[in-house]
Coordinates of all heavy atoms in Angstrom, one line a residue:
M204 N -11.9 -6.3 14.8 CA -10.6 -6.2 14.2 C -10.1 -7.5 13.7 O -10.3 -8.5 14.4 CB -9.6 -5.6 15.2 CG -8.2 -5.4 14.7 SD -7.0 -4.9 15.9 CE -7.5 -3.2 16.1
E205 N -9.6 -7.5 12.5 CA -9.1 -8.8 11.9 C -7.6 -8.9 12.0 O -6.9 -8.0 11.7 CB -9.5 -8.7 10.4 CG -9.1 -9.9 9.6 CD -9.5 -9.7 8.2 OE1 -10.1 -8.7 7.8 OE2 -9.1 -10.6 7.3
T206 N -7.2 -10.0 12.4 CA -5.7 -10.3 12.5 C -5.3 -11.0 11.2 O -5.9 -12.0 10.8 CB -5.3 -11.2 13.7 OG1 -5.8 -10.5 14.9 CG2 -3.9 -11.4 13.8
L207 N -4.3 -10.5 10.6 CA -3.8 -11.0 9.3 C -2.6 -11.9 9.4 O -1.8 -11.7 10.3 CB -3.5 -9.8 8.3 CG -4.7 -8.9 8.1 CD1 -4.2 -7.7 7.2 CD2 -5.9 -9.6 7.4
S208 N -2.5 -12.8 8.5 CA -1.3 -13.7 8.5 C -0.1 -12.9 7.9 O -0.3 -11.8 7.3 CB -1.5 -14.9 7.6 OG -1.6 -14.5 6.3
H209 N 1.1 -13.3 8.0 CA 2.2 -12.7 7.5 C 2.1 -12.5 6.0 O 2.4 -11.4 5.4 CB 3.5 -13.4 7.8 CG 3.9 -13.4 9.2 ND1 4.1 -14.6 10.0 CD2 4.2 -12.4 10.0 CE1 4.4 -14.2 11.2 NE2 4.4 -12.9 11.3
V210 N 1.6 -13.5 5.3 CA 1.4 -13.4 3.8 C 0.4 -12.3 3.5 O 0.6 -11.6 2.5 CB 1.0 -14.8 3.3 CG1 0.6 -14.7 1.8 CG2 2.2 -15.9 3.5
E211 N -0.7 -12.3 4.2 CA -1.7 -11.3 3.9 C -1.1 -9.9 4.2 O -1.5 -8.9 3.4 CB -2.9 -11.5 4.8 CG -3.7 -12.8 4.4 CD -4.8 -13.1 5.4 OE1 -4.5 -13.0 6.6 OE2 -5.8 -13.6 5.0
V212 N -0.4 -9.7 5.2 CA 0.2 -8.4 5.5 C 1.1 -8.0 4.3 O 1.0 -6.9 3.8 CB 1.0 -8.4 6.8 CG1 1.9 -7.1 7.0 CG2 0.1 -8.6 8.0
L213 N 2.0 -8.9 3.9 CA 2.9 -8.6 2.8 C 2.1 -8.3 1.5 O 2.5 -7.4 0.7 CB 3.9 -9.7 2.6 CG 5.0 -9.8 3.6 CD1 5.9 -11.0 3.4 CD2 5.8 -8.6 3.7
A214 N 1.1 -9.0 1.2 CA 0.2 -8.8 0.1 C -0.4 -7.5 0.1 O -0.4 -6.8 -1.0 CB -0.8 -9.9 -0.1
R215 N -0.9 -7.0 1.2 CA -1.5 -5.7 1.3 C -0.4 -4.6 1.1 O -0.7 -3.6 0.5 CB -2.2 -5.6 2.6 CG -3.5 -6.3 2.7 CD -4.2 -6.2 4.0 NE -5.4 -7.1 4.1 CZ -6.5 -6.7 4.5 NH1 -6.7 -5.5 5.0 NH2 -7.6 -7.5 4.5
F216 N 0.7 -4.8 1.7 CA 1.8 -3.9 1.6 C 2.2 -3.8 0.2 O 2.4 -2.7 -0.4 CB 2.9 -4.3 2.5 CG 3.9 -3.2 2.8 CD1 3.5 -2.0 3.4 CD2 5.3 -3.3 2.5 CE1 4.4 -1.0 3.8 CE2 6.1 -2.3 2.8 CZ 5.7 -1.1 3.4
G217 N 2.3 -4.9 -0.5 CA 2.7 -5.0 -1.9 C 1.7 -4.3 -2.8 O 2.1 -3.5 -3.7
H218 N 0.4 -4.5 -2.5 CA -0.6 -3.9 -3.3 C -0.6 -2.3 -3.1 O -0.6 -1.6 -4.1 CB -2.0 -4.3 -2.8 CG -3.1 -3.6 -3.5 ND1 -3.5 -3.8 -4.8 CD2 -4.0 -2.6 -3.0 CE1 -4.5 -3.0 -5.1 NE2 -4.8 -2.3 -4.1
A219 N -0.4 -1.9 -1.9 CA -0.2 -0.4 -1.7 C 1.0 0.1 -2.4 O 0.8 1.2 -3.1 CB -0.1 -0.2 -0.1
L220 N 2.1 -0.5 -2.4 CA 3.3 0.0 -3.0 C 3.3 -0.2 -4.6 O 4.1 0.4 -5.3 CB 4.5 -0.7 -2.5 CG 4.9 -0.4 -1.0 CD1 6.1 -1.3 -0.6 CD2 5.1 1.1 -0.8
S221 N 2.3 -1.0 -5.1 CA 2.3 -1.2 -6.5 C 1.8 0.0 -7.3 O 2.0 0.1 -8.5 CB 1.4 -2.4 -6.8 OG 0.0 -2.1 -6.6
D222 N 1.2 1.0 -6.7 CA 0.7 2.2 -7.3 C 1.7 3.3 -6.9 O 1.9 3.6 -5.7 CB -0.7 2.6 -6.8 CG -1.2 3.8 -7.5 OD1 -1.8 3.7 -8.6 OD2 -1.0 4.9 -7.0
P223 N 2.2 4.0 -7.9 CA 3.2 5.1 -7.6 C 2.6 6.2 -6.6 O 3.3 6.7 -5.8 CB 3.5 5.7 -8.9 CG 3.3 4.6 -9.9 CD 2.1 3.8 -9.3
T224 N 1.4 6.6 -6.8 CA 0.8 7.6 -5.9 C 0.6 7.1 -4.5 O 1.0 7.8 -3.6 CB -0.6 8.1 -6.5 OG1 -0.4 8.6 -7.8 CG2 -1.2 9.2 -5.6
R225 N 0.2 5.9 -4.3 CA 0.1 5.3 -3.0 C 1.5 5.2 -2.3 O 1.6 5.5 -1.2 CB -0.6 4.0 -3.0 CG -2.1 4.1 -3.2 CD -2.8 2.8 -2.9 NE -2.4 1.7 -3.7 CZ -3.0 1.3 -4.9 NH1 -4.0 2.0 -5.4 NH2 -2.5 0.2 -5.5
A226 N 2.5 4.8 -3.1 CA 3.8 4.7 -2.6 C 4.3 6.1 -2.2 O 4.9 6.3 -1.1 CB 4.8 4.1 -3.7
R227 N 4.0 7.2 -3.0 CA 4.4 8.5 -2.6 C 3.7 9.0 -1.4 O 4.3 9.7 -0.5 CB 4.2 9.4 -3.8 CG 5.1 9.1 -5.0 CD 4.8 9.9 -6.2 NE 4.7 11.3 -6.0 CZ 3.9 12.1 -6.6 NH1 3.0 11.6 -7.5 NH2 3.9 13.4 -6.4
V228 N 2.4 8.6 -1.2 CA 1.7 9.0 0.0 C 2.4 8.3 1.3 O 2.6 9.0 2.3 CB 0.2 8.5 0.0 CG1 -0.5 8.6 1.3 CG2 -0.5 9.3 -1.1
L229 N 2.7 7.0 1.2 CA 3.4 6.4 2.3 C 4.7 7.0 2.6 O 5.1 7.2 3.8 CB 3.5 4.9 2.0 CG 2.2 4.1 2.0 CD1 2.5 2.6 1.5 CD2 1.6 4.1 3.4
I230 N 5.5 7.3 1.6 CA 6.7 8.0 1.8 C 6.6 9.4 2.5 O 7.3 9.7 3.4 CB 7.5 8.2 0.4 CG1 8.0 6.8 0.0 CG2 8.7 9.1 0.6 CD1 8.5 6.8 -1.5
A231 N 5.6 10.1 2.0 CA 5.3 11.4 2.7 C 4.9 11.3 4.1 O 5.3 12.0 5.0 CB 4.2 12.2 1.9
L232 N 4.1 10.3 4.4 CA 3.6 10.1 5.7 C 4.6 9.5 6.7 O 4.4 9.5 7.9 CB 2.3 9.2 5.8 CG 1.1 9.8 5.1 CD1 -0.1 8.8 5.1 CD2 0.7 11.2 5.8
R233 N 5.7 8.9 6.2 CA 6.7 8.4 7.0 C 7.4 9.5 7.8 O 7.9 9.3 8.9 CB 7.7 7.5 6.3 CG 8.8 8.1 5.7 CD 9.8 7.1 5.0 NE 11.1 7.6 4.8 CZ 11.4 8.5 3.9 NH1 10.5 9.0 3.1 NH2 12.7 8.9 3.8
E234 N 7.4 10.7 7.2 CA 8.0 11.9 7.9 C 7.1 12.4 9.0 O 7.6 12.7 10.1 CB 8.2 13.0 6.9 CG 9.2 12.6 5.7 CD 10.6 12.3 6.2 OE1 11.0 13.0 7.2 OE2 11.2 11.5 5.6
A235 N 5.8 12.5 8.7 CA 4.9 13.1 9.7 C 3.4 12.9 9.1 O 3.3 12.8 7.9 CB 5.2 14.5 10.0
G236 N 2.5 13.0 10.0 CA 1.1 13.0 9.6 C 0.8 14.2 8.8 O 1.5 15.2 8.8
A237 N -0.3 14.2 8.0 CA -0.6 15.3 7.1 C -2.1 15.3 6.8 O -2.8 14.3 6.9 CB 0.2 15.2 5.8
Y238 N -2.6 16.5 6.4 CA -4.0 16.6 6.0 C -4.1 16.4 4.5 O -3.2 16.6 3.8 CB -4.5 18.0 6.4 CG -4.4 18.4 7.8 CD1 -3.3 19.1 8.3 CD2 -5.4 17.9 8.7 CE1 -3.3 19.4 9.7 CE2 -5.3 18.2 10.1 CZ -4.3 18.9 10.5 OH -4.2 19.2 11.9
P239 N -5.2 15.9 4.1 CA -5.4 15.6 2.7 C -5.1 16.7 1.7 O -4.5 16.5 0.7 CB -6.9 15.1 2.6 CG -7.2 14.6 4.0 CD -6.4 15.5 4.9
T240 N -5.6 17.9 2.1 CA -5.3 19.0 1.2 C -3.8 19.3 1.0 O -3.3 19.5 -0.1 CB -6.0 20.3 1.8 OG1 -7.4 20.1 1.9 CG2 -5.7 21.5 0.8
E241 N -3.0 19.2 2.1 CA -1.6 19.3 2.0 C -0.9 18.2 1.2 O -0.1 18.5 0.4 CB -1.0 19.3 3.4 CG -1.4 20.5 4.3 CD -1.1 20.3 5.8 OE1 -0.6 19.2 6.1 OE2 -1.3 21.2 6.5
L242 N -1.4 17.0 1.4 CA -0.8 15.9 0.7 C -1.1 16.0 -0.8 O -0.2 15.7 -1.6 CB -1.4 14.5 1.2 CG -0.8 13.9 2.4 CD1 -1.6 12.7 2.9 CD2 0.6 13.5 2.1
A243 N -2.3 16.4 -1.2 CA -2.7 16.5 -2.6 C -1.8 17.6 -3.2 O -1.3 17.3 -4.4 CB -4.2 16.9 -2.7
E244 N -1.6 18.7 -2.6 CA -0.7 19.7 -3.1 C 0.7 19.3 -3.2 O 1.4 19.4 -4.2 CB -0.8 21.0 -2.3 CG -2.1 21.8 -2.4 CD -2.2 22.9 -1.4 OE1 -1.1 23.3 -0.9 OE2 -3.3 23.4 -1.2
Q245 N 1.2 18.6 -2.2 CA 2.6 18.1 -2.1 C 2.9 17.1 -3.3 O 3.9 17.1 -3.9 CB 2.9 17.5 -0.8 CG 4.3 16.9 -0.6 CD 4.5 16.2 0.7 OE1 3.6 16.4 1.6 NE2 5.5 15.5 0.8
L246 N 1.8 16.2 -3.5 CA 2.0 15.2 -4.5 C 1.6 15.6 -5.9 O 1.8 14.8 -6.9 CB 1.3 13.9 -4.0 CG 1.7 13.3 -2.7 CD1 0.8 12.2 -2.4 CD2 3.1 13.0 -2.7
G247 N 0.9 16.7 -6.1 CA 0.4 17.2 -7.3 C -0.6 16.3 -7.9 O -0.7 16.1 -9.1
V248 N -1.6 15.9 -7.0 CA -2.7 15.1 -7.5 C -4.0 15.8 -7.0 O -4.0 16.6 -6.2 CB -2.7 13.7 -6.9 CG1 -1.5 12.9 -7.4 CG2 -2.8 13.6 -5.4
S249 N -5.1 15.4 -7.7 CA -6.4 16.0 -7.2 C -6.8 15.5 -5.9 O -6.4 14.4 -5.5 CB -7.5 15.7 -8.3 OG -7.8 14.3 -8.2
R250 N -7.6 16.2 -5.2 CA -8.1 15.8 -3.9 C -9.0 14.5 -4.0 O -9.0 13.6 -3.2 CB -8.9 16.9 -3.2 CG -7.9 18.0 -2.8 CD -8.5 19.0 -1.8 NE -9.0 18.4 -0.7 CZ -10.0 18.9 0.1 NH1 -10.5 20.0 -0.2 NH2 -10.4 18.3 1.2
T251 N -9.7 14.4 -5.1 CA -10.5 13.2 -5.4 C -9.6 11.9 -5.5 O -9.9 10.9 -4.9 CB -11.4 13.4 -6.6 OG1 -12.2 14.5 -6.4 CG2 -12.2 12.1 -6.9
S252 N -8.6 12.1 -6.3 CA -7.6 11.0 -6.5 C -7.0 10.6 -5.2 O -6.9 9.4 -4.8 CB -6.6 11.4 -7.6 OG -5.6 10.4 -7.6
L253 N -6.5 11.6 -4.5 CA -5.9 11.4 -3.2 C -6.9 10.6 -2.2 O -6.5 9.7 -1.5 CB -5.4 12.6 -2.5 CG -4.7 12.4 -1.2 CD1 -3.3 11.7 -1.4 CD2 -4.4 13.7 -0.5
S254 N -8.1 11.1 -2.2 CA -9.1 10.5 -1.3 C -9.2 9.0 -1.6 O -9.3 8.2 -0.7 CB -10.5 11.2 -1.5 OG -11.4 10.6 -0.7
N255 N -9.3 8.7 -2.9 CA -9.4 7.2 -3.3 C -8.1 6.4 -2.8 O -8.3 5.3 -2.3 CB -9.5 7.1 -4.8 CG -10.9 7.6 -5.3 OD1 -11.8 7.6 -4.5 ND2 -11.0 8.1 -6.5
H256 N -7.0 7.0 -3.0 CA -5.7 6.3 -2.5 C -5.7 6.2 -1.0 O -5.3 5.2 -0.5 CB -4.5 7.1 -3.0 CG -4.3 6.9 -4.5 ND1 -4.0 5.7 -5.1 CD2 -4.4 7.8 -5.5 CE1 -3.9 5.9 -6.4 NE2 -4.1 7.2 -6.7
L257 N -6.1 7.2 -0.3 CA -6.2 7.2 1.2 C -7.1 6.1 1.7 O -6.9 5.4 2.6 CB -6.5 8.5 1.8 CG -5.4 9.6 1.7 CD1 -5.9 10.9 2.1 CD2 -4.2 9.2 2.6
A258 N -8.3 6.0 1.0 CA -9.3 5.0 1.3 C -8.7 3.6 1.1 O -8.9 2.7 1.9 CB -10.5 5.1 0.5
C259 N -7.9 3.4 0.0 CA -7.3 2.1 -0.2 C -6.3 1.8 0.9 O -6.2 0.7 1.4 CB -6.6 2.1 -1.6 SG -5.7 0.7 -2.0
L260 N -5.5 2.8 1.2 CA -4.4 2.6 2.2 C -5.0 2.3 3.6 O -4.5 1.5 4.4 CB -3.5 3.8 2.3 CG -2.6 4.0 1.1 CD1 -1.9 5.3 1.1 CD2 -1.6 2.8 1.0
R261 N -6.2 3.0 3.9 CA -6.9 2.7 5.1 C -7.4 1.3 5.1 O -7.4 0.5 6.1 CB -8.0 3.7 5.4 CG -7.6 5.1 5.8 CD -8.7 6.0 6.0 NE -9.5 5.6 7.2 CZ -10.6 6.2 7.5 NH1 -11.1 7.2 6.7 NH2 -11.3 5.8 8.5
G262 N -8.0 0.9 4.0 CA -8.6 -0.5 3.8 C -7.5 -1.5 4.0 O -7.8 -2.6 4.5
C263 N -6.3 -1.3 3.6 CA -5.2 -2.2 3.7 C -4.6 -2.2 5.1 O -3.8 -3.0 5.5 CB -4.1 -1.8 2.7 SG -4.4 -2.2 1.0
G264 N -5.1 -1.2 6.0 CA -4.6 -1.1 7.3 C -3.2 -0.4 7.5 O -2.6 -0.5 8.5
L265 N -2.8 0.3 6.4 CA -1.5 1.0 6.5 C -1.5 2.4 7.0 O -0.5 2.9 7.5 CB -0.9 0.9 5.1 CG -0.6 -0.5 4.6 CD1 -0.1 -0.4 3.1 CD2 0.3 -1.3 5.4
V266 N -2.7 3.1 6.8 CA -2.8 4.4 7.4 C -4.1 4.5 8.2 O -5.0 3.7 8.1 CB -2.8 5.5 6.3 CG1 -1.5 5.5 5.5 CG2 -4.0 5.4 5.4
V267 N -4.1 5.5 9.1 CA -5.3 5.8 9.9 C -5.6 7.3 9.8 O -4.7 8.1 9.5 CB -5.1 5.4 11.4 CG1 -4.9 3.9 11.6 CG2 -3.9 6.2 12.0
A268 N -6.9 7.6 10.0 CA -7.3 8.9 10.0 C -7.6 9.3 11.4 O -8.3 8.7 12.1 CB -8.6 9.1 9.2
V269 N -6.9 10.4 11.8 CA -7.0 10.9 13.2 C -7.8 12.2 13.2 O -7.4 13.2 12.6 CB -5.6 11.2 13.8 CG1 -5.7 11.7 15.2 CG2 -4.7 10.0 13.7
P270 N -9.0 12.2 13.9 CA -9.8 13.4 13.8 C -9.2 14.5 14.6 O -8.6 14.3 15.7 CB -11.1 12.9 14.6 CG -11.0 11.4 14.7 CD -9.6 11.0 14.5
E271 N -9.2 15.7 14.1 CA -8.7 16.8 14.7 C -9.7 18.0 14.5 O -9.6 18.7 13.5 CB -7.3 17.3 14.2 CG -6.2 16.3 14.7 CD -4.8 16.9 14.3 OE1 -4.7 17.8 13.5 OE2 -3.8 16.2 14.8
G272 N -10.6 18.1 15.4 CA -11.7 19.0 15.2 C -12.6 18.6 14.1 O -13.0 17.4 14.0
K273 N -12.8 19.4 13.1 CA -13.6 19.1 11.9 C -12.7 18.4 10.7 O -13.2 18.1 9.7 CB -14.3 20.2 11.3 CG -15.3 20.8 12.3 CD -16.1 22.0 11.7 CE -17.1 22.5 12.6 NZ -17.9 23.6 12.0
R274 N -11.4 18.3 11.0 CA -10.5 17.8 10.0 C -10.0 16.4 10.3 O -10.0 16.0 11.5 CB -9.3 18.8 9.8 CG -9.7 20.2 9.4 CD -8.5 21.1 9.4 NE -7.6 20.8 8.3 CZ -6.4 21.4 8.2 NH1 -6.0 22.2 9.1 NH2 -5.6 21.1 7.2
L275 N -9.5 15.8 9.3 CA -8.8 14.4 9.5 C -7.4 14.6 9.1 O -7.0 15.1 8.1 CB -9.5 13.3 8.7 CG -10.8 12.9 9.0 CD1 -11.4 11.9 8.0 CD2 -10.9 12.3 10.4
R276 N -6.5 14.1 10.0 CA -5.0 14.0 9.7 C -4.7 12.6 9.5 O -5.1 11.7 10.3 CB -4.2 14.7 10.9 CG -2.8 14.7 10.6 CD -2.0 15.3 11.7 NE -2.3 14.9 13.0 CZ -2.0 13.8 13.6 NH1 -1.1 13.0 13.0 NH2 -2.3 13.5 14.8
Y277 N -4.0 12.3 8.4 CA -3.6 10.9 8.1 C -2.2 10.7 8.6 O -1.3 11.5 8.5 CB -3.7 10.6 6.6 CG -5.2 10.5 6.2 CD1 -6.0 11.6 6.0 CD2 -5.8 9.2 6.2 CE1 -7.3 11.5 5.6 CE2 -7.1 9.1 5.8 CZ -7.9 10.3 5.6 OH -9.2 10.1 5.3
E278 N -2.0 9.4 9.1 CA -0.7 9.0 9.5 C -0.5 7.5 9.3 O -1.5 6.8 9.1 CB -0.4 9.4 11.0 CG -1.4 8.9 12.0 CD -1.1 9.5 13.4 OE1 -0.9 10.7 13.5 OE2 -1.2 8.6 14.3
L279 N 0.7 7.1 9.4 CA 1.0 5.6 9.3 C 0.3 4.9 10.5 O 0.3 5.4 11.6 CB 2.4 5.3 9.3 CG 3.2 5.9 8.1 CD1 4.7 5.6 8.3 CD2 2.7 5.3 6.8
A280 N -0.3 3.8 10.2 CA -1.0 3.0 11.2 C -0.1 2.5 12.3 O -0.6 2.3 13.4 CB -1.9 1.9 10.6
D281 N 1.1 2.2 12.0 CA 2.0 1.6 13.0 C 3.4 2.2 12.8 O 3.9 2.3 11.7 CB 2.0 0.1 12.8 CG 2.8 -0.7 13.8 OD1 4.0 -0.8 13.6 OD2 2.2 -1.1 14.8
G282 N 4.1 2.4 13.9 CA 5.5 2.9 13.8 C 6.5 1.9 13.1 O 7.4 2.3 12.5
G283 N 6.1 0.6 13.1 CA 6.9 -0.3 12.4 C 6.9 -0.1 10.9 O 7.8 -0.5 10.2
L284 N 5.8 0.5 10.4 CA 5.7 0.8 8.9 C 6.8 1.9 8.6 O 7.3 1.8 7.5 CB 4.3 1.3 8.6 CG 3.2 0.3 8.6 CD1 1.9 1.0 8.4 CD2 3.5 -0.8 7.5
R285 N 7.0 2.8 9.4 CA 8.0 3.8 9.2 C 9.4 3.2 9.0 O 10.1 3.4 8.0 CB 8.1 4.8 10.3 CG 9.1 6.0 10.1 CD 9.0 7.0 11.2 NE 7.7 7.8 11.0 CZ 6.6 7.6 11.7 NH1 6.6 6.8 12.7 NH2 5.5 8.3 11.4
K286 N 9.7 2.3 9.9 CA 11.0 1.6 9.8 C 11.0 0.7 8.6 O 12.1 0.6 7.9 CB 11.2 0.7 11.1 CG 12.4 -0.2 11.1 CD 13.6 0.5 11.4 CE 14.8 -0.4 11.6 NZ 15.7 -0.5 10.5
A287 N 10.0 0.0 8.3 CA 9.9 -0.9 7.1 C 10.2 -0.1 5.8 O 10.9 -0.4 4.9 CB 8.6 -1.6 7.0
L288 N 9.5 1.1 5.7 CA 9.7 2.0 4.5 C 11.1 2.5 4.5 O 11.7 2.5 3.4 CB 8.7 3.1 4.6 CG 7.2 2.8 4.3 CD1 6.3 4.0 4.7 CD2 7.0 2.4 2.8
E289 N 11.6 2.9 5.5 CA 13.1 3.3 5.6 C 14.0 2.2 5.1 O 14.9 2.5 4.3 CB 13.4 3.9 7.0 CG 12.7 5.2 7.3 CD 12.9 5.6 8.7 OE1 13.5 5.0 9.5 OE2 12.3 6.7 9.0
D290 N 13.8 1.0 5.6 CA 14.6 -0.1 5.2 C 14.4 -0.4 3.7 O 15.4 -0.6 3.0 CB 14.2 -1.4 6.0 CG 14.7 -1.3 7.4 OD1 15.5 -0.4 7.8 OD2 14.2 -2.1 8.2
L291 N 13.2 -0.3 3.2 CA 13.0 -0.6 1.8 C 13.7 0.5 0.9 O 14.3 0.3 -0.1 CB 11.5 -0.6 1.4 CG 10.7 -1.9 1.8 CD1 9.2 -1.7 1.6 CD2 11.2 -3.0 1.0
L292 N 13.6 1.8 1.4 CA 14.1 2.9 0.6 C 15.6 2.9 0.6 O 16.3 3.4 -0.3 CB 13.6 4.2 1.2 CG 12.1 4.5 0.9 CD1 11.7 5.7 1.7 CD2 11.9 4.6 -0.6
S293 N 16.2 2.2 1.6 CA 17.7 2.1 1.6 C 18.2 0.9 0.9 O 19.4 0.7 0.8 CB 18.2 2.1 3.1 OG 17.8 0.9 3.7
T294 N 17.3 0.1 0.4 CA 17.7 -1.1 -0.4 C 18.1 -0.8 -1.8 O 17.5 0.1 -2.4 CB 16.6 -2.1 -0.4 OG1 16.2 -2.4 0.9 CG2 16.9 -3.4 -1.2
V295 N 19.2 -1.3 -2.3 CA 19.7 -1.1 -3.6 C 19.3 -2.4 -4.4 O 19.7 -3.5 -4.1 CB 21.2 -0.9 -3.6 CG1 21.7 -0.7 -5.1 CG2 21.6 0.3 -2.8
L296 N 18.6 -2.1 -5.5 CA 18.2 -3.2 -6.4 C 18.9 -3.1 -7.7 O 19.1 -2.1 -8.2 CB 16.7 -3.2 -6.6 CG 15.8 -3.3 -5.4 CD1 14.3 -3.2 -5.9 CD2 16.0 -4.6 -4.7
T297 N 19.3 -4.3 -8.2 CA 19.8 -4.3 -9.6 C 18.7 -5.0 -10.4 O 18.6 -6.3 -10.3 CB 21.1 -5.1 -9.6 OG1 22.0 -4.5 -8.7 CG2 21.7 -5.1 -11.0
A298 N 18.0 -4.3 -11.2 CA 16.9 -4.9 -12.0 C 17.5 -5.6 -13.2 O 18.5 -5.2 -13.8 CB 16.0 -3.7 -12.5
A299 N 16.8 -6.7 -13.6 CA 17.1 -7.4 -14.8 C 15.8 -7.6 -15.6 O 15.3 -8.7 -15.7 CB 17.8 -8.7 -14.4
P300 N 15.3 -6.6 -16.2 CA 14.0 -6.6 -16.9 C 14.0 -7.7 -18.0 O 13.0 -8.2 -18.4 CB 13.8 -5.2 -17.4 CG 15.1 -4.6 -17.4 CD 15.9 -5.3 -16.3
E301 N 15.1 -8.0 -18.6 CA 15.2 -9.0 -19.7 C 14.7 -10.4 -19.2 O 14.4 -11.2 -20.0 CB 16.6 -9.0 -20.3 CG 17.7 -9.6 -19.5 CD 18.3 -8.6 -18.5 OE1 17.8 -7.4 -18.4 OE2 19.2 -9.0 -17.8
V302 N 14.8 -10.7 -17.9 CA 14.4 -12.0 -17.5 C 13.0 -12.0 -16.9 O 12.5 -13.1 -16.6 CB 15.4 -12.5 -16.4 CG1 16.8 -12.7 -16.9 CG2 15.4 -11.6 -15.2
C303 N 12.3 -10.9 -16.9 CA 10.9 -10.9 -16.4 C 10.1 -11.5 -17.6 O 10.2 -11.2 -18.7 CB 10.5 -9.4 -16.2 SG 11.1 -8.7 -14.6
V304 N 9.2 -12.3 -17.1 CA 8.2 -13.0 -18.1 C 6.9 -12.2 -18.0 O 6.4 -11.9 -17.0 CB 8.0 -14.4 -17.7 CG1 7.1 -15.1 -18.6 CG2 9.4 -15.2 -17.6
T305 N 6.4 -11.9 -19.2 CA 5.1 -11.2 -19.3 C 4.0 -12.2 -18.9 O 4.0 -13.3 -19.3 CB 4.8 -10.7 -20.7 OG1 5.9 -9.8 -21.1 CG2 3.6 -10.0 -20.8
S306 N 3.2 -11.7 -18.0 CA 2.0 -12.5 -17.5 C 1.0 -12.7 -18.5 O 1.0 -12.0 -19.5 CB 1.5 -11.9 -16.2 OG 0.8 -10.8 -16.5
R307 N 0.0 -13.5 -18.2 CA -1.2 -13.7 -19.1 C -1.9 -12.4 -19.3 O -2.5 -12.2 -20.3 CB -2.1 -14.8 -18.6 CG -1.5 -16.2 -18.6 CD -2.5 -17.1 -18.1 NE -1.8 -18.4 -17.8 CZ -2.2 -19.4 -17.1 NH1 -3.4 -19.3 -16.6 NH2 -1.5 -20.4 -16.9
A308 N -1.9 -11.6 -18.3 CA -2.7 -10.3 -18.4 C -1.8 -9.2 -19.2 O -2.3 -8.1 -19.3 CB -2.9 -9.8 -17.0
G309 N -0.6 -9.6 -19.7 CA 0.1 -8.7 -20.5 C 1.0 -7.8 -19.7 O 1.5 -6.8 -20.2
E310 N 1.1 -8.0 -18.3 CA 1.9 -7.1 -17.5 C 3.3 -7.8 -17.2 O 3.4 -9.0 -17.1 CB 1.2 -7.0 -16.1 CG -0.2 -6.3 -16.2 CD -0.9 -6.4 -14.8 OE1 -0.4 -6.9 -13.9 OE2 -2.0 -5.7 -14.8
D311 N 4.3 -6.9 -17.1 CA 5.6 -7.4 -16.8 C 5.6 -7.8 -15.3 O 4.8 -7.4 -14.6 CB 6.7 -6.3 -17.0 CG 6.9 -6.0 -18.5 OD1 6.6 -6.9 -19.3 OD2 7.3 -4.9 -18.8
C312 N 6.6 -8.7 -14.9 CA 6.6 -9.2 -13.6 C 6.9 -8.1 -12.6 O 6.7 -8.3 -11.4 CB 7.5 -10.4 -13.5 SG 9.3 -10.0 -13.8
C313 N 7.7 -7.1 -13.0 CA 8.0 -6.0 -12.0 C 8.2 -4.7 -12.7 O 8.0 -4.6 -13.9 CB 9.4 -6.3 -11.3 SG 10.7 -6.9 -12.3

């Protein structure tokens, strides 16, 4: 098991949240664990796409797969993530896209 620095934890969390489907998976899992088939239906994505996103979230250390017989149920890896997601979702942001500078890769800053 690898222990990550604060910066690495935030970078992984940011990477996970940078994709809308992964963000929706995390939001869904903050309520309760779920099976991939249910999550795919709930989010309106293919099982293949969901599988890739779940693998990414597992790799980032944000979700875990809990064996239940022949099935796997996914849940948040730590209760603190639930609280962090709730805090983020309750935050009100005032965006100012006109001040974002386009990066060299042609992407906006946010």
